[in-house]
Amino acid sequence: MQINDALNLIREKFAAESKGLSTGEAAEKYQDAFGDYPVTMEVATHILAVQLIQQNMAQQMQAQQQAAGQGDGQAQPAPDPTQS
């Protein structure tokens, strides 16, 4: 099994679980793959987790920039803490 195949299976399973589905075709494929290729599936699980964390961090940073009025993507200089 190639890592991209494992990632696709995990994404399918994740999407199904996000919809409240813990059984079905995605669950069966996932269980079979984990039984046959446990290390590949573990590595793919960690890769997907890192991707989700990075995506969430990027969205959070974008939301913070927009909230601070920096939605145009240009960083504003930080205020000088030595001046009052």
Side-chain angles (χ1 to χ4, degrees), residues 4-81:
N4 285 334
D5 297 329
L7 280 166
N8 289 333
L9 284 174
I10 293 167
R11 284 186 185 109
E12 287 178 33
K13 176 76 166 127
F14 184 79
E17 286 184 8
S18 296
K19 296 174 186 173
L21 303 172
S22 60
T23 60
E25 186 179 351
E28 290 177 22
K29 287 181 182 179
Y30 176 85
Q31 290 299 329
D32 290 345
F34 232 108
D36 294 339
Y37 308 99
V39 175
T40 302
M41 293 298 287
E42 284 286 343
V43 170
T45 299
H46 288 281
I47 290 170
L48 182 62
V50 168
Q51 290 174 347
L52 289 171
I53 290 168
Q54 290 174 339
Q55 179 183 4
N56 288 339
M57 287 175 58
Q59 289 174 349
Q60 187 176 30
M61 288 176 59
Q62 184 179 20
Q64 288 175 348
Q65 286 178 345
Q66 289 175 349
Q70 298 176 0
D72 61 356
Q74 294 182 356
Q76 300 287 329
D80 185 352

